[in-house]
Amino acid sequence: MEVFERLEALIDAPEAEAVTDARVMLRQFESIMTADAIHQFLLDLMTLVFVVESGHNFHGSVRKLAKVRLAMLKMVCALSA
């Protein structure tokens, strides 16, 4: 699943456009079953971008949380397919 690899790349190198790019990529998976998982992942990605841009040192923890949310989203998408 190339989309999830690209989403993980956004987590590894977050920037201001990461959330917009992620939303575009995730539109293809949006359904009633995946909506909550998508929103939770996007919230964690937004938090990660904020932490990195603000220069705080705990971005490693937030990055780990975003990767866990992405793994959960991947599982939900696999179940809904």
Side-chain angles (χ1 to χ4, degrees):
M1 295 210 148
E2 183 182 316
V3 171
F4 292 105
E5 291 170 2
R6 290 172 41 206
L7 289 169
E8 190 160 354
L10 292 177
I11 294 171
D12 291 333
E15 55 185 26
E17 289 79 34
V19 177
T20 303
D21 294 344
R23 278 192 179 117
V24 170
M25 286 185 256
L26 290 170
R27 279 195 186 122
Q28 64 184 312
F29 299 110
E30 198 157 10
S31 70
I32 293 171
M33 187 172 181
T34 61
D36 187 52
I38 288 172
H39 292 294
Q40 288 181 21
F41 169 72
L42 288 173
L43 180 61
D44 288 341
L45 184 59
M46 285 185 259
T47 303
L48 175 61
V49 169
F50 171 77
V51 168
V52 168
E53 288 182 351
S54 65
H56 288 85
N57 290 340
F58 53 88
H59 56 84
S61 299
V62 181
R63 181 174 280 118
K64 183 177 179 181
L65 178 60
K67 286 187 178 194
V68 168
R69 294 279 193 198
L70 181 59
M72 291 171 54
L73 176 60
K74 197 185 286 188
M75 287 188 294
V76 170
C77 288
L79 290 174
S80 68

